[in-house]
Amino acid sequence: MTIELPGAIAAYFSADKQGDTRAISDCFTQDAIVVDEGNTYTGRDAIRQWIANASTQYTYTAEPFALAEEGGRTIVTSHLVGNFPGSPVDLRYFFVLQDDKIAELEIVP
């Protein structure tokens, strides 16, 4: 099933698929916040480093398959398959958008 993601979110998943850490970080506002695996990353430089670390530790593919809105957040559910513990897994990505950029992202199982 194909879903139509908002522009910044589509760009995020596209850049992630390509492994392009700079393009991923460019999807975010300058002071964006990412929360993943209990860690918080603030600002594009920290987000770029988070992605770079994740991509050196694991290889994976992410396939978004569901889209919802809740409390001002866009929720994308994605199927991840890779060489990480617990693979495969469906993760929920909670996005807050601001001016066609990602201002906040929280990733949870």
Side-chain angles (χ1 to χ4, degrees):
M1 171 175 139
T2 302
I3 58 174
E4 188 161 337
L5 299 172
I9 296 173
Y12 168 85
F13 281 106
S14 177
D16 187 44
K17 190 173 194 171
Q18 301 301 317
D20 188 340
T21 57
R22 180 159 303 279
I24 292 169
S25 67
D26 287 347
C27 295
F28 290 85
T29 62
Q30 287 292 341
D31 58 351
I33 297 170
V34 172
V35 178
D36 183 35
E37 296 183 336
N39 297 305
T40 301
Y41 308 91
T42 303
R44 282 188 182 163
D45 289 339
I47 291 168
R48 190 177 306 114
Q49 190 61 48
W50 160 68
I51 291 294
N53 288 343
S55 65
T56 59
Q57 287 182 313
Y58 307 113
T59 57
Y60 60 90
T61 58
E63 295 296 330
F65 66 87
L67 179 66
E69 295 285 332
E70 179 183 294
R73 300 191 297 177
T74 302
I75 305 165
V76 176
T77 306
S78 184
H79 187 68
L80 267 72
V81 177
N83 64 345
F84 56 88
S87 176
V89 65
D90 290 340
L91 295 179
R92 291 177 298 151
Y93 294 71
F94 292 82
F95 292 94
V96 175
L97 301 177
Q98 176 184 327
D99 300 327
D100 297 323
K101 295 280 187 185
I102 300 165
E104 296 177 25
L105 169 59
E106 181 178 5
I107 304 172
V108 297

